[in-house]
């Protein structure tokens, strides 16, 4: 029998709501035909798809990253402001398409305003200049009688947008990136960008461009940029047609966080840096099927993928002391939880854990001890299309668990991913101290099999079910059986 030990006093850190963030890029049908579809009967007068906005609200997305992604390294933000009919159509090289620029800075800011979402902008450090980046900060945040602030006012936006989060380029380590740089050259360039952006608005927070934490790039960039940045980004995609390879691969996220955190703390110590530097996991997801521009990256997600996404979320919560932002890539159509057609949408399997975590996770992450069956991954099972090797990080617990509580200690939530594809696991949940449970609710994401998926014709093959259970009263020990291939979130209301 598996055992989960929970001590309400053993705090790991405060869960920052920004870990439930999103990301939209000018790629495929994410923007056009996704969040924005002019002339559609499903859109409002601004062109925003109303059904998509309703689905996004269900995710309680706190922060949204834009405009890229690889796209940003060839994007000039001034092409996307002013009268729409005068904006230039540009050849887009990252994804080999044409960018109409009908959705630009002011449209994105309005979308964030309508949804109550904080904007996070990534600047072009590929083909862009530091003056262009500095001007964008002034356009968004300027309050004085200056050119770019006045241009924003001329475009109909009197008040500044007060954009707080700014990324210093995207994946500049990759040769697929326009303006690809060595880590040394990136540091030199990023410092100059950071100077003029911070001098324009000292209140902004900057995100340095990281890799996965275990590369030479990460060491050089963290050491060089530590005085200037507030966050260090990590990008990680995993995925496999083999279920166990799929659901164990997020162990790489744990390794990436630990590796980056060690480099950050070493840099802060040796350079006597007083301000904290957090991790922004600003691109992450299961993604392995659709890679080509022709596919538009329209991944169709299974129950197994939803469980892998749940393990990622557990990982971010377990590292809540340092992971203060995470942005699922992406929000609509492109490797996304929401999938649209001109007539409507359906929610992919991965939508349901994202919604449940945003709804149910509380403020304080708890240090949980788990003792469940373990499984080692064989070489044959380690199918990783991205070329990653992670079997040596095992053996892996079949139950992946995290727990949170509210500030007052009146609500306790446990998120338990049973990665076993065949068997339910009977489990004892032991509390460090006796507690009186007045309400007991279980939320479960599951489906017929690990390969189950949703579609326009069958929209709820994988869904979240809610069950109100009998409250056990005053106890120290609970028993619960976690079904095969499931995510279960248990919510306990305490007297």
């Amino acid at each position: 029998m598996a055992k989960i030990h929970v001590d309400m006093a053993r705090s790991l850190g405060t869960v920052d709501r920004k870990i439930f963030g999103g990301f939209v890029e000018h790629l495929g049908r994410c923007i056009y035909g996704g969040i924005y579809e002019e002339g559609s009967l499903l859109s409002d007068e601004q062109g925003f798809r109303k059904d998509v906005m309703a689905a996004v609200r269900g995710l309680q997305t706190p922060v949204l990253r834009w405009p890229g992604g690889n796209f940003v390294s060839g994007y000039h933000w001034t092409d996307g402001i002013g009268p729409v009919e005068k904006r230039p159509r540009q050849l887009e090289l990252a994804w080999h398409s044409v960018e109409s620029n009908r959705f630009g800075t002011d449209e994105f800011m309005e979308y964030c305003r309508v949804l109550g979402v904080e904007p996070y902008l990534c600047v072009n450090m590929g083909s862009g200049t530091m003056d262009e980046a500095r001007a964008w900060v002034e356009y968004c945040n300027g309050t004085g009688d200056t050119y770019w602030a006045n241009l924003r006012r001329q475009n109909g936006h009197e008040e500044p947008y007060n954009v707080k989060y700014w990324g210093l380029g995207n994946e500049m380590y990759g040769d697929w990136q326009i303006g690809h740089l060595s880590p040394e050259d990136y540091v030199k360039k990023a410092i100059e960008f950071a100077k003029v952006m911070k001098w324009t608005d000292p209140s902004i927070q900057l995100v340095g461009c990281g890799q996965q934490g275990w590369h030479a790039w990460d060491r050089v960039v963290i050491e060089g940029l530590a005085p200037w940045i507030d966050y260090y980004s990590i990008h990680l995609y995993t995925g496999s047609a083999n279920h166990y390879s799929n659901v164990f691969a997020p162990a790489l996220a744990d390794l990436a966080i630990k590796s980056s955190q060690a480099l950050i703390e070493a840099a802060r110590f040796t350079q006597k840096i007083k301000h904290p530097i957090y991790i922004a996991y600003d691109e992450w997801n299961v993604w392995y099927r659709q890679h080509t521009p022709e596919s538009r990256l329209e991944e169709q997600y299974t129950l197994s993928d939803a469980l892998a996404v749940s393990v990622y979320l557990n990982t971010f919560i377990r590292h809540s002391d340092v992971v203060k932002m995470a942005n699922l890539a992406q929000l609509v159509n492109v490797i996304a939880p929401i999938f649209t057609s001109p007539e409507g949408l359906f929610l992919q399997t991965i939508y349901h854990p994202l919604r449940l975590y945003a709804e149910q996770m509380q403020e304080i992450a708890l240090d949980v001890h788990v003792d469940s069956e373990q499984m080692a991954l064989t070489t044959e099972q380690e199918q990783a299309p991205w070329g990653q090797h992670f079997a040596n990080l095992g053996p892996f617990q079949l139950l992946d668990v995290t727990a949170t509580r509210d500030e007052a200690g009146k609500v306790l939530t446990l998120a338990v991913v049973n990665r076993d594809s065949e068997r339910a696991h009977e489990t004892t949940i032991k509390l460090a101290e006796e507690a009186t449970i007045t309400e007991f609710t279980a939320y479960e994401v599951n489906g017929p099999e690990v390969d189950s998926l949703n579609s326009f014709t069958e929209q709820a093959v994988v869904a979240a079910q809610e069950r109100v259970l009998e409250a056990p009263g005053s106890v120290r020990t609970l028993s619960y059986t976690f079904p095969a291939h499931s995510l279960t979130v248990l919510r306990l209301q305490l007297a």
Side-chain angles (χ1 to χ4, degrees), residues 126-421:
S127 63
T129 66
M130 72 178 77
D131 190 55
E132 184 179 5
R134 187 214 65 77
W136 205 6
V137 175
E138 183 188 320
Y139 183 87
C140 290
N141 296 358
T143 58
D145 183 15
T146 57
Y147 177 79
W148 293 108
N150 286 334
L151 184 58
R152 183 196 68 240
R153 298 183 182 103
Q154 182 183 318
N155 289 335
H157 308 281
E158 181 66 29
E159 298 302 318
Y161 294 126
N162 297 320
V163 178
K164 183 177 182 179
Y165 304 106
W166 295 80
L168 294 170
N170 175 78
E171 295 181 0
M172 301 307 298
Y173 49 80
D175 60 7
W176 57 86
Q177 204 70 214
I178 297 172
H180 165 227
L181 297 167
S182 69
E184 293 80 8
D185 287 341
Y186 170 74
V187 167
K188 292 175 186 177
K189 188 173 182 179
I191 287 173
E192 300 309 312
F193 271 64
K195 283 180 186 176
V196 296
M197 292 170 70
K198 282 273 196 179
W199 290 343
T200 302
D201 182 354
S203 73
I204 64 174
Q205 296 197 352
L206 298 178
V207 184
C209 174
Q211 198 165 354
Q212 279 101 35
W214 55 73
H215 299 279
W217 172 279
D218 299 290
R219 178 184 56 78
V220 173
V221 171
I222 288 172
E223 288 178 359
L225 279 189
W228 295 94
I229 59 175
D230 305 280
Y231 291 82
Y232 186 70
S233 75
I234 299 175
H235 289 185
L236 181 66
Y237 296 100
T238 58
S240 173
N242 178 281
H243 168 69
Y244 287 109
S245 184
N246 198 28
V247 296
F248 293 152
L252 288 164
D254 184 74
L255 176 63
I257 294 165
K258 290 176 179 176
S259 301
S260 298
Q261 186 176 16
L263 291 171
I264 288 168
E265 291 311 310
R268 290 184 67 233
F269 176 76
T270 57
Q271 298 180 45
K272 297 182 174 60
I273 295 169
K274 294 182 179 180
H275 72 268
I277 301 172
Y278 298 119
I279 289 172
Y281 231 113
D282 60 12
E283 283 191 36
W284 69 274
N285 203 345
V286 174
W287 172 29
Y288 67 96
R289 301 171 183 90
Q290 307 295 340
H291 284 105
T292 65
E294 294 75 23
S295 73
R296 302 188 294 189
L297 281 58
E298 296 191 354
E299 198 97 341
Q300 299 296 295
Y301 285 111
T302 65
L303 173 59
S304 180
D305 300 327
L307 301 183
V309 161
S310 303
V311 177
Y312 269 106
L313 293 169
N314 279 353
T315 303
F316 301 153
I317 291 170
R318 283 193 288 264
H319 290 283
S320 58
D321 59 327
V322 64
V323 179
K324 297 298 183 181
M325 187 190 302
N327 305 81
L328 179 87
Q330 296 189 17
L331 191 62
V332 187
N333 291 327
V334 176
I335 53 172
I338 303 166
F339 200 88
T340 72
S341 75
E343 292 76 36
L345 62 76
F346 74 89
L347 305 177
Q348 296 229 59
T349 62
I350 65 172
Y351 180 93
H352 300 293
L354 293 166
R355 179 182 65 81
L356 268 184
Y357 277 78
E359 282 182 357
Q360 299 301 331
M361 293 299 104
Q362 303 297 310
E363 295 97 327
I364 306 298
L366 299 177
D367 186 9
V368 179
H369 176 74
V370 182
D371 182 8
S372 71
E373 279 188 51
Q374 296 185 344
M375 180 176 177
L377 205 63
T378 66
T379 305
E380 292 74 24
Q381 288 173 316
E382 189 189 46
Q383 299 173 11
W386 292 92
Q388 303 145 330
H389 297 287
F390 54 89
N392 61 335
L393 299 177
F396 304 95
Q397 301 253 20
L398 285 174
L399 296 186
D400 188 82
V401 184
T402 192
T404 63
R405 65 166 174 83
D406 67 346
E407 291 277 6
K410 298 298 185 184
V411 179
L412 170 65
T413 60
L414 284 89
V416 181
V417 185
N418 181 3
R419 299 186 276 195
D420 194 319
S421 65

